[in-house]
Amino acid sequence: MNTNSNNPHRRDDTSAVVSTFPARELTLLVLLAVAVAGVYLAMGAAYSTRMLVEAACYAILALGLTIQWGYAGQFNAGVMGFVALGGFAAMSFSVPVNEAFWASSLPGELGLVLIYILGAGLIVFAASRLDRVGLPRTLRTIVTVLAALVLYMVVISQFREVTERIEDQVEFVGGLGLPTWTGWIVGGLLAGVIGYFIGHVCLGLRSDYLAIATLGIAEIIKAFLKNSDWLTRGTATVSPLPWPVPGPAEVGFTLSRALYLSITAVIIAVIFLLLHRAYNAPWGRMIRAIRDNEESSAAMGKDINRRRLEIFVLGCILMGIGGAVLGSFNGIFDPQGYLPLNHTFLVLVMVILGGPGNNLGTIFGAVAVYIIWIMSEPLALYVMELAAHFGQANFDWEIPTNLESRALQARVFVIGLLITVVLRFAPKGLLPEKVKHHD
């Protein structure tokens, strides 16, 4: 007797198992592993391990963006600014102490000026609340603007005088000489605090205006760090930045980078597990409900603004941590080196390829896109050299002298082509968000 024909539930269970088998995920991960193995064979262990460490740092940045964009629909085009804040925190907390600065009278003078700035800010804030004691709003605005202008002119001259003496006498304030991981934690906290104030101002804007606002704020952050020579040495850069593991001089390039990779892997695993639990918890369902239907969520009594601010700050914290880890690994803090193409657009492509809102897809997208980004240059150079030598041998072409620079520009073309193809054939990403429907 055929038991399967008499037991329809068994056939349903089998089909359920087949439908839930993660065939796409396994296939893509196997292809990614093959690609990584190919890079190791072609480029060597030291180069390939460095590539994986940088890809892991970008995966942390992409996880921060995917919870903002994928979970809550917030398009943050200012990733670069939070990456720079993380790198600044990693530098300022891990670089050795500048003994010349602390042995002089400059710390006291700088601290006094900072107190003046804080006091001026409190005065302006108090002036902006004068309407609560009966002052007309128009007069309150005039008083606030005048107070801000006068106090700014008074304080900024003293501030510039102190900072110019710092640059002339001791070059810059230096770091705190603390363990590297303290800078990573502070980098996340600093980015979260800045993100909190940005969110209060910008989250009420429409998505396209939010993108423009965050892009402008990122440029402001970069300009501040670039021009604050007394704090960051500006374009002179700060190096080397310490690692939390033995460096190449102690254990060799490959082993030191492998140790660094293990730390980034642990960080990604912890973040992934926490985000996975949050996504499937009532909090995650509420965030997605606000994303999908804000009016209905508000009608159910949900605090829309508070939840949107929570997710924005959380994403900024992850971006700050990723920026700090990446800055420490690069071993140099260069404010001018933070570029929208490398630290915003590339992260955006990673999230689009992997799938906004899917944590595993985001990690996959980060590693895959970074491999394409790095390997497109040597592959393009190889193809160009083949074509140039073929043309020289058969058509008497003259080989160009700037093939290397042309191959470097191929990165942009390849990434642009990649995002075009993905948006055309997989607009939700290769591993799209899986939304559970409850009957």
Side-chain angles (χ1 to χ4, degrees):
M1 182 176 63
N2 190 347
T3 57
N4 289 340
S5 60
N6 297 329
N7 190 353
H9 296 288
R10 177 169 299 183
R11 183 176 63 251
D12 293 341
D13 292 342
T14 303
S15 63
V17 171
V18 174
S19 63
T20 57
F21 183 75
R24 173 183 286 192
E25 287 83 350
L26 289 178
T27 302
L28 290 175
L29 291 177
V30 168
L31 292 176
L32 183 61
V34 171
V36 171
V39 175
Y40 266 86
L41 291 175
M43 308 301 293
Y47 181 92
S48 304
T49 307
R50 175 178 180 174
M51 179 194 68
L52 286 182
V53 175
E54 293 172 345
C57 296
Y58 272 89
I60 301 174
L61 302 178
L63 286 172
L65 182 59
T66 200
I67 62 176
Q68 290 178 340
W69 186 21
Y71 287 16
Q74 301 170 358
F75 191 80
N76 181 2
V79 178
M80 177 191 70
F82 300 103
V83 176
L85 288 174
F88 164 71
M91 179 275 296
S92 59
F93 275 76
S94 62
V95 168
V97 175
N98 187 347
E99 300 291 348
F101 170 73
W102 294 102
S104 66
S105 61
L106 294 173
E109 298 176 10
L110 179 62
L112 186 60
V113 171
L114 294 178
I115 292 175
Y116 290 159
I117 294 175
L118 178 61
L122 293 176
I123 292 173
V124 174
F125 177 79
S128 68
R129 295 295 187 270
L130 288 177
D131 58 314
R132 298 186 178 185
V133 295
L135 195 69
R137 290 193 173 184
T138 303
L139 185 57
R140 175 211 63 181
T141 302
I142 296 174
V143 171
T144 302
V145 172
L146 289 177
L149 290 175
V150 172
L151 291 173
Y152 174 81
M153 297 300 294
V154 171
V155 173
I156 196 64
S157 60
Q158 298 180 358
F159 179 74
R160 286 176 178 172
E161 183 180 349
V162 174
T163 55
E164 287 175 359
R165 286 209 301 272
I166 292 175
E167 296 171 13
D168 293 339
Q169 298 179 20
V170 296
E171 194 171 10
F172 83 124
V173 298
L176 298 178
L178 297 176
T180 304
W181 57 267
T182 59
W184 296 359
I185 296 175
V186 174
L189 295 177
L190 178 61
V193 170
I194 300 299
Y196 176 83
F197 290 105
I198 294 174
H200 263 298
V201 177
C202 298
L203 287 182
L205 302 175
R206 238 170 47 189
S207 59
D208 48 353
Y209 294 129
L210 175 63
I212 296 172
T214 51
L215 179 61
I217 292 171
E219 291 293 340
I220 292 173
I221 293 173
K222 175 182 175 180
F224 171 77
L225 296 175
K226 178 182 175 181
N227 294 287
S228 299
D229 292 6
W230 64 276
L231 186 62
T232 65
R233 295 190 73 217
T235 56
T237 72
V238 178
S239 64
L241 303 187
W243 281 15
V245 296
E250 303 172 60
V251 296
F253 282 101
T254 303
L255 181 57
S256 62
R257 292 170 179 175
L259 293 174
Y260 205 105
L261 178 62
S262 65
I263 293 180
T264 58
V266 170
I267 295 174
I268 292 175
V270 172
I271 293 174
F272 179 86
L273 292 175
L274 293 176
L275 292 181
H276 180 75
R277 290 178 63 88
Y279 181 88
N280 294 287
W283 180 84
R285 292 193 291 271
M286 177 180 59
I287 293 295
R288 297 195 300 277
I290 294 173
R291 175 197 64 188
D292 297 335
N293 197 326
E294 186 173 317
E295 291 76 12
S296 298
S297 301
M300 296 175 64
K302 304 302 181 183
D303 192 340
I304 305 298
N305 294 331
R306 179 181 177 183
R307 300 309 176 191
R308 294 181 68 191
L309 184 59
E310 285 177 357
I311 203 73
F312 187 79
V313 170
L314 179 58
C316 292
I317 290 174
L318 295 185
M319 293 173 188
I321 294 174
V325 177
L326 180 62
S328 295
F329 179 71
N330 290 333
I332 184 173
F333 179 72
D334 180 11
Q336 198 170 2
Y338 293 100
L339 304 173
L341 175 63
N342 292 20
H343 300 99
T344 295
F345 179 71
L346 193 61
V347 180
L348 177 64
V349 175
M350 293 171 176
V351 175
I352 292 175
L353 177 69
N358 187 325
N359 299 325
L360 180 61
T362 298
I363 297 174
F364 168 83
V367 178
V369 169
Y370 198 76
I371 291 176
I372 296 173
W373 174 258
I374 292 297
M375 295 305 298
S376 58
E377 179 186 357
L379 289 177
L381 180 60
Y382 177 73
V383 173
M384 288 180 181
E385 288 177 345
L386 282 181
H389 286 92
F390 177 80
Q392 184 186 41
N394 295 276
F395 305 103
D396 199 25
W397 290 354
E398 182 178 351
I399 298 180
T401 58
N402 58 344
L403 287 180
E404 290 80 5
S405 61
R406 295 185 182 186
L408 182 62
Q409 298 304 318
R411 286 180 172 183
V412 181
F413 170 77
V414 171
I415 292 297
L417 179 63
L418 174 65
I419 192 173
T420 302
V421 172
V422 171
L423 290 176
R424 173 61 181 86
F425 296 101
K428 294 184 178 180
L430 297 181
L431 294 175
E433 179 185 8
K434 294 182 178 179
V435 180
K436 296 181 180 179
H437 299 281
H438 300 278
D439 299 328

